[in-house]
C-alpha cells in the first residue's frame, strides 16, 4: 500500500546533496580499478569541493598523478544512513565522478558529475547548482536530534501520527522518525511486509535547533488539536446512534 500523504516543502536536490556531504563521516573511493573506504578523511570546502587526507603510498595518489588531465579518474560515493534503526537505513546515496589534483599534501577532488539517488529516483545535480547550494542548517545535528526524539520521546512520535492520513497508517506496526531538515520532519511507517514515508512540513523553515524546537511544538499542538477533533467526531457519531 502506498502512502497518500504528499511530500511538501522539501530541500532541493542540490541542497540535499550538500547536506549528505556535510553529514557524512566516511566515503568510498573507486579509482584505477581499485576501491578504498575512507573514514574521517574528507573535508568539504564552501563550494562543495572535497579534500581527502590519504597516506602518501595510497593508490589514490598514484591515480591522481597518472590520470590524463581532465579525464575522470575517480568516483566518490557517500551514503546517508538513518541514525534511528529502521528498515532500509540508507536514505540517500551521493555519487561524484571527477579527478584528483595533489594539493598541499592532500587530494583535491574536482567533480565533473554529481548524482543524487533518493527513494524517488536518481537526479543529476548541476555543477553550478551544487557549488552554490548550502547544506541544511540542521544537517550536522540531525542524528542527535532524531535519536533523542526516538529514544526519549516515543509518546511525541505517537502523537505526531495523528497528523498522518489514516490510510497511510493502515497495517502499521511501528513508526519512527526518519529524517528532519529545516522544512519538516519525515516519519517512517513500517508494516508487516512494506514500509512508507510521510512528511510533516513545518509552518515555516527552521534555521537552527532553537527554531526547530518551536516548530516541533507547533506540530505537537496541531496533533493534539487533531486528536480532540477526532474524539469530538466520534462522540457525535455515538450520539447519533
Amino acid at each position: 500500500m502506498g502512502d497518500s500523504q504528499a511530500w511538501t516543502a522539501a530541500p532541493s536536490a542540490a541542497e540535499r546533496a550538500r547536506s549528505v556531504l556535510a553529514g557524512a563521516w566516511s566515503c568510498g573511493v573507486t579509482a584505477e580499478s581499485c576501491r578504498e573506504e575512507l573514514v574521517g578523511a574528507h573535508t568539504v570546502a564552501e563550494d562543495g569541493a572535497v579534500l581527502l587526507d590519504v597516506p602518501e603510498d595510497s593508490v589514490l595518489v598514484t591515480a591522481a598523478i597518472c590520470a590524463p588531465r581532465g579525464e575522470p579518474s575517480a568516483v566518490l560515493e557517500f551514503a546517508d544512513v538513518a541514525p534511528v534503526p529502521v528498515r532500509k537505513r540508507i536514505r540517500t546515496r551521493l555519487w561524484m565522478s571527477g579527478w584528483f589534483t595533489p594539493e598541499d599534501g592532500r587530494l583535491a577532488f574536482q567533480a565533473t558529475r554529481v548524482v543524487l539517488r533518493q527513494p524517488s529516483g536518481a537526479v543529476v545535480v548541476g555543477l553550478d547548482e551544487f557549488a552554490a547550494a548550502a547544506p541544511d542548517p540542521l544537517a550536522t545535528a540531525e542524528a542527535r536530534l532524531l535519536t533523542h526524539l526516538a529514544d526519549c520521546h516515543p509518546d511525541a512520535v505517537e502523537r505526531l501520527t495523528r497528523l498522518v492520513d489514516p490510510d497511510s497508517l493502515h497495517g502499521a506496526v511501528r513508526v519512527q522518525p526518519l529524517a528532519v531538515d529545516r522544512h519538516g520532519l519525515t516519519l517512517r511507517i513500517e508494516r508487516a511486509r512494506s514500509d512508507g514515508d510521510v512528511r510533516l512540513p513545518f509552518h515555516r523553515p527552521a534555521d537552527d535547533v532553537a527554531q526547530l524546537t518551536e516548530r516541533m511544538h507547533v506540530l505537537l499542538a496541531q496533533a493534539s488539536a487533531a486528536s480532540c477533533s477526532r474524539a469530538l467526531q466520534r462522540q457525535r457519531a455515538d450520539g447519533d446512534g
Side-chain angles (χ1 to χ4, degrees), residues 192-215:
R193 297 185 179 179
S194 65
D195 55 73
D197 301 336
V198 171
R199 188 167 177 82
L200 303 179
F202 299 141
H203 65 284
R204 65 171 62 94
D207 292 326
D208 54 37
V209 174
Q211 290 185 6
L212 173 66
T213 300
E214 188 273 337
R215 306 301 187 263

Side-chain angles (χ1 to χ4, degrees), residues 18 21-22 43-51 127-135:
R18 291 297 300 270
L21 265 187
T43 55
V44 184
E46 187 174 339
D47 63 355
V50 178
L51 301 174
L127 296 179
D128 290 340
E129 259 188 293
F130 180 77

Side-chain angles (χ1 to χ4, degrees), residues 46-69:
E46 187 174 339
D47 63 355
V50 178
L51 301 174
L52 291 180
D53 288 302
V54 297
E56 292 183 1
D57 59 352
S58 169
V59 294
L60 299 179
V61 176
T62 303
I65 295 173
C66 296
R69 177 65 177 172

